Amino acid sequence: MSNHDLLSRINDRLDQLSKLPAVKDKLTITKALEKKGFSRREFMKWAGSMSALLALPATFTPVVARAAELSDRLPVIWLHMAECTGCSESLLRTDTPTIDSLIFDHISLEYHETLMAASGWQAEHNLEDAIQKHKGKYVLLVEGGIPTGATEHYLTIGPHGVSGKEHAIKASQNAAAIFAIGTCSSFGGVQAAHPNPSNCVGLSKVTDKPVINVPGCPPSEKNIVGTLLHFILFGTLPALDVFNRPKWAYGLRIHDLCERRGRFDAGEFVQNFGDEGAKNGYCLYKVGCKGPYTFNNCSKERFNSHTSWPVQAGHGCIGCSEPNFWDTMGPFEEPMGDRLYDTVFGLGADSISDKIGIGVLTLAGIGIATHAAIAASKKNEE
Ligand code: FSX
Ligand code: SF4
Ligand code: F3S
């Protein structure tokens, strides 16, 4: 489809959305931003950066801005399962509000267990109400892994002992789109790490509806807001990788765009935390950086309004957006070396073959280790 056709399809969709009443009676986003001191110019600049994030050309900036303005037409239900709430915090915990957090304020968050005032019976009632009222139209965001073990012990909610798993399945049945926010909801996360006492799994394992994974422990605010904007713009699911992650966010490795990549290529490695190399911003591969095995856009988008990200702060990436990273990426401060590891590289688009996967991955793993060794020896010869 040409950009022109795509733009007119988006505009048709936004026209339809604009005819719907706002779910809640609130200030328009333009007014809300104004009130917080953001100019229209800053908002358009933000829309431009979101277009780039979603891999759209700059000519899409006005429709991205319009999509953000119409985000109050989209009812959103956000459920919490087993997790630390870091995903919500990633978006909301800032001492100065950002445009991302204001957009999140602006969406019609019909139900969010950490943000709402209601509790107990009232909360149960609100969830039921939101599901009924917006049947087939709401976007479901689920944060946290789903315990599937003995439900009488794990994540049992409410006086009737309804499990988190039951809540998640029920809410997924009538959702227009379902996004697993964070690694826990995508793949099980920390509570699914060995020995996984609650038999925790990712959301896609308990519902028969399609789930888009937005992993990261936590994911950046950009990837959360971008996911919602993408759905408002297109109303369809984005192109995905084999782990059901949107390619616009998880299509490249941390290593591909890392600011220390030149150091890696030049064989300049931190050998120990605190050494001269560390002070000079050398590559963190030898102190355990898993950036070469991890698909995410942190090296480009960073966190907290583009302030920083793990590698910039001086620690290697621990692979937090990969499935089972707690078990497979550790020890976090040692290099992977030539250990076998499953990444997108080894998994076919249609079929997942462990055998082929491991074969290819071994090569990829050794390739990286060898590159690092050659680069280091070249450096030592100088
Ligand atoms: Fe925490 Fe979210 Fe990690 Fe999990 O983030 S930051 S444990 S991905 O589900 O709250
Ligand atoms: Fe960056 Fe890590 Fe790759 Fe080094 S190994 S270049 S620190 S991502
Ligand atoms: Fe996670 Fe690595 Fe990004 S640890 S936050 S994927 S840099």
Side-chain angles (χ1 to χ4, degrees), residues 267-350:
E268 295 173 335
F269 295 101
V270 173
Q271 305 290 345
N272 294 294
F273 288 110
D275 68 7
E276 274 309 300
K279 287 179 198 145
N280 290 321
Y282 283 11
C283 168
L284 297 158
Y285 179 78
K286 289 194 171 176
V287 283
C289 180
K290 305 299 185 301
Y293 317 92
T294 305
F295 289 75
N296 203 341
N297 54 5
C298 316
S299 36
K300 186 158 166 254
E301 299 301 334
R302 306 184 198 167
F303 285 74
N304 302 332
S305 314
H306 205 71
T307 311
S308 189
W309 66 291
V311 166
Q312 186 179 341
H315 195 281
C317 164
I318 62 172
C320 81
S321 50
E322 294 300 314
N324 309 322
F325 80 97
W326 293 106
D327 291 333
T328 57
M329 295 285 194
F332 290 135
E333 291 175 354
E334 286 174 21
M336 194 81 104
D338 57 1
R339 272 182 299 138
L340 298 181
Y341 176 67
D342 277 347
T343 81
V344 167
F345 281 144
L347 304 176
D350 309 317

Side-chain angles (χ1 to χ4, degrees), residues 38-363:
F38 290 103
S39 65
R40 180 79 190 165
R41 203 166 154 214
E42 283 167 303
F43 176 53
M44 291 312 287
K45 201 171 149 211
W46 171 87
S49 74
M50 291 311 282
S51 310
L53 173 76
L54 296 172
L56 296 171
T59 45
F60 281 60
T61 301
V63 286
V64 170
R66 196 168 166 224
E69 281 164 351
L70 292 171
S71 59
D72 59 351
R73 316 294 154 110
L74 189 76
V76 173
I77 295 179
W78 182 306
L79 296 182
H80 282 273
M81 298 288 140
E83 33 89 17
C84 77
T85 314
C87 307
S88 296
E89 295 270 346
S90 165
L91 190 58
L92 302 169
R93 167 106 20 155
T94 97
D95 51 5
T96 39
T98 61
I99 297 190
D100 294 296
S101 64
L102 289 172
I103 297 291
F104 191 70
D105 266 356
H106 190 62
I107 61 171
S108 285
L109 200 50
E110 289 293 276
Y111 183 88
H112 185 297
E113 279 144 3
T114 4
L115 299 179
M116 66 194 189
S119 62
W121 287 106
Q122 189 59 48
E124 297 273 298
H125 176 74
N126 290 358
L127 176 58
E128 188 58 39
D129 220 38
I131 291 176
Q132 289 311 323
K133 196 163 132 204
H134 304 292
K135 220 172 183 168
K137 296 196 193 88
Y138 61 87
V139 173
L140 176 66
L141 305 183
V142 177
E143 179 176 353
I146 324 281
T148 61
T151 49
E152 64 272 30
H153 296 305
Y154 300 111
L155 203 69
T156 303
I157 302 165
H160 304 305
V162 179
S163 71
K165 179 181 159 192
E166 287 168 280
H167 270 287
I169 292 175
K170 188 167 181 203
S172 71
Q173 291 313 309
N174 295 302
I178 307 172
F179 298 103
I181 301 295
T183 298
C184 302
S185 183
S186 301
F187 309 123
V190 64
Q191 45 283 309
H194 182 76
N196 193 358
S198 61
N199 198 16
C200 209
V201 296
L203 179 64
S204 61
K205 294 273 191 309
V206 301
T207 172
D208 52 0
K209 304 288 174 205
V211 175
I212 309 298
N213 292 327
V214 186
C217 189
S220 67
E221 73 270 28
K222 285 273 178 233
N223 287 356
I224 301 173
V225 171
T227 295
L228 284 169
L229 271 184
H230 190 284
F231 183 71
I232 297 173
L233 284 167
F234 296 99
T236 53
L237 305 181
L240 302 172
D241 74 1
V242 289
F243 296 128
N244 273 9
R245 299 179 289 198
K247 282 190 181 163
W248 59 260
Y250 302 90
L252 289 175
R253 296 174 307 166
I254 296 294
H255 189 60
D256 295 327
L257 298 175
C258 178
E259 65 234 27
R260 300 191 188 208
R261 178 60 187 265
R263 302 295 196 175
F264 176 93
D265 291 341
E268 295 173 335
F269 295 101
V270 173
Q271 305 290 345
N272 294 294
F273 288 110
D275 68 7
E276 274 309 300
K279 287 179 198 145
N280 290 321
Y282 283 11
C283 168
L284 297 158
Y285 179 78
K286 289 194 171 176
V287 283
C289 180
K290 305 299 185 301
Y293 317 92
T294 305
F295 289 75
N296 203 341
N297 54 5
C298 316
S299 36
K300 186 158 166 254
E301 299 301 334
R302 306 184 198 167
F303 285 74
N304 302 332
S305 314
H306 205 71
T307 311
S308 189
W309 66 291
V311 166
Q312 186 179 341
H315 195 281
C317 164
I318 62 172
C320 81
S321 50
E322 294 300 314
N324 309 322
F325 80 97
W326 293 106
D327 291 333
T328 57
M329 295 285 194
F332 290 135
E333 291 175 354
E334 286 174 21
M336 194 81 104
D338 57 1
R339 272 182 299 138
L340 298 181
Y341 176 67
D342 277 347
T343 81
V344 167
F345 281 144
L347 304 176
D350 309 317
S351 65
I352 294 181
S353 160
D354 284 339
K355 221 169 164 189
I356 296 171
I358 286 172
V360 174
L361 294 171
T362 316
L363 289 177

